Amino acid sequence: MDLGDLRTFCQLAEDGNYRVASEHLHITQSALTKKIQRFEAYCGVVLFERGRQGASLTAAGIALLPEAQRIVSSFESYKCLTQRVAKGIAGNLNIGFGISSYHLAPDYIAKFKKHYPEIHITLNDIPSQKQSESLLLGELHLSFSRLPAVAPLKGVKLSTDHLVLATHRSQIIDKKKLWFSLDSIDYLKLNPERGMGLSQQINMLLEEHGKKLNVVQEADDIQTLLALVSANLGFTIVPASVKHIANEHVAFWELSGESSSWDVGLIWNDQLESFAKDNFIQFVEKMQIERR
């Protein structure tokens, strides 16, 4: 079936006149007649009765018209959708984010959605190493994660995060003798398998300060670690960016050292084609320029 013939059938049914319908379709009357004849041959029935009053639908034409109109309307909607997708203003984006972008990722996405409401976004908390693997496999379009991005991945810096100590507020901590103050407090550690990048960062900092901490308990996520600290069961080391998810019983202490900080950014696979992804990157980069 030719969609053009189907559209011609619907137009002639609406206008009831060959001349008017041909003008609306921007074709000659003879071309319109051929299209109708071809469509009638395809359907195996006569669809119009031609008389002095123009063209009127037969019983078969009346029965087929609603479905023909639905198909034409659906195709037009699909055509409009493909055009929006091609422009990157409609579609889907799978985005990952990590510990250091708990606040960062939702903020950028919320602003982006105001400009591109037809792009559906799925956001998931994923360890940084897993994010890189998913980007390479095409399972993620974008990720908010630690930099640098390893080729063929690319990235743009959005912020800098750093390590802090988290203790219960009742603990007496001497800022000048920070590590000495922790000698009598149990250390709570993030499971390395759940946060490989963060664990490596912490290990580098501890090595830099020549410290070996006695691990008494591990947790699979930051929220659990902060809950344990809040219950005064020990201290932990976390990114400063998670301060906003801790309660009032947790105190944070800045850590110094070359390994105490790292850059956080938006990362993507340039080999993965997605107009929606490209628009998101351009949107974020524009925001970065405006904030300078």
Side-chain angles (χ1 to χ4, degrees), residues 8 26 37 60 74 78 81-82 84 95 111 156 159 165-166 176 182 235 247 252 286-287:
T8 300
H26 304 290
Q37 290 174 343
S74 295
Y78 177 76
L81 176 61
T82 59
R84 295 197 300 276
I95 302 177
K111 290 180 171 62
V156 57
S159 67
L165 283 172
K176 296 181 179 179
L182 301 170
F235 78 94
N247 61 37
F252 293 94
K286 183 180 178 182
M287 282 187 63

Side-chain angles (χ1 to χ4, degrees), residues 207-222:
E207 185 177 344
E208 183 180 337
H209 286 277
K211 297 296 178 181
K212 276 192 175 183
L213 301 179
N214 182 35
V215 181
V216 296
Q217 189 170 346
E218 287 190 359
D220 287 339
D221 56 73
I222 294 292

Side-chain angles (χ1 to χ4, degrees), residues 3-290:
L3 186 66
D5 294 346
L6 189 66
R7 186 182 285 107
T8 300
F9 165 53
C10 293
Q11 190 66 55
L12 182 57
E14 179 182 341
D15 294 329
N17 184 284
Y18 277 81
R19 179 186 60 78
V20 176
S22 64
E23 289 176 354
H24 282 151
L25 294 169
H26 304 290
I27 58 176
T28 63
Q29 287 190 51
S30 60
L32 185 145
T33 300
K34 289 179 180 178
K35 283 178 174 291
I36 293 299
Q37 290 174 343
R38 186 167 59 216
F39 189 62
E40 287 179 328
Y42 172 83
C43 296
V45 291
V46 176
L47 300 172
F48 292 97
E49 291 179 354
R50 190 167 185 174
R52 292 181 179 179
Q53 302 302 319
S56 58
L57 287 168
T58 63
I62 293 173
L64 292 174
L65 181 61
E67 184 63 14
Q69 290 173 327
R70 186 195 67 79
I71 293 172
V72 170
S73 177
S74 295
F75 179 79
E76 292 300 329
S77 296
Y78 177 76
K79 183 180 179 181
C80 289
L81 176 61
T82 59
Q83 292 172 344
R84 295 197 300 276
V85 169
K87 294 177 181 178
I89 59 177
N92 297 281
L93 284 176
N94 293 325
I95 302 177
F97 75 106
I99 294 168
S100 293
S101 55
Y102 275 179
H103 176 71
L104 196 68
D107 182 56
Y108 274 101
I109 289 171
K111 290 180 171 62
F112 178 77
K113 286 286 288 183
K114 289 181 179 180
H115 293 81
Y116 297 90
E118 291 186 78
I119 294 181
H120 175 73
I121 295 177
T122 301
L123 181 65
N124 287 303
D125 180 2
I126 304 171
S128 56
Q129 181 63 32
K130 179 62 177 176
Q131 287 189 53
S132 296
E133 295 172 1
S134 297
L135 285 169
L136 291 172
L137 292 172
E139 297 170 352
L140 284 179
H141 293 96
L142 299 154
S143 79
F144 288 86
S145 188
R146 62 173 55 237
L147 296 172
V150 180
L153 302 181
K154 293 186 176 181
V156 57
K157 179 183 173 180
L158 301 178
S159 67
T160 299
D161 205 355
H162 59 278
L163 294 174
V164 293
L165 283 172
T167 68
H168 192 274
R169 287 200 176 275
S170 65
Q171 296 291 343
I172 300 174
I173 304 295
D174 185 346
K175 289 183 180 180
K176 296 181 179 179
K177 299 179 180 180
L178 191 60
W179 294 106
F180 178 78
S181 302
L182 301 170
D183 284 347
S184 61
I185 310 175
D186 291 334
Y187 176 50
L188 309 169
K189 181 181 178 181
L190 178 67
N191 184 341
E193 294 183 2
R194 282 291 301 153
M196 188 178 299
L198 178 59
S199 294
Q200 291 174 347
Q201 195 80 39
I202 294 172
N203 289 337
M204 287 190 297
L205 181 67
L206 292 176
E207 185 177 344
E208 183 180 337
H209 286 277
K211 297 296 178 181
K212 276 192 175 183
L213 301 179
N214 182 35
V215 181
V216 296
Q217 189 170 346
E218 287 190 359
D220 287 339
D221 56 73
I222 294 292
Q223 292 93 327
T224 301
L225 284 176
L226 293 175
L228 294 171
V229 171
S230 176
N232 205 9
L233 294 176
F235 78 94
T236 190
I237 302 175
V238 293
S241 57
V242 304
K243 289 181 179 180
H244 65 281
I245 65 173
N247 61 37
E248 68 277 8
H249 300 298
V250 181
F252 293 94
W253 309 87
E254 299 293 325
L255 289 171
S256 61
E258 293 182 3
S259 302
S260 65
S261 64
W262 63 96
D263 292 334
V264 179
L266 181 67
I267 301 175
W268 64 91
N269 184 351
D270 227 19
Q271 298 175 351
L272 178 65
E273 292 187 5
S274 168
F275 296 109
K277 178 204 73 175
D278 294 341
N279 277 348
F280 192 95
I281 295 168
Q282 292 171 11
F283 180 83
V284 169
E285 290 178 332
K286 183 180 178 182
M287 282 187 63
Q288 286 300 101
I289 293 173
E290 292 174 349

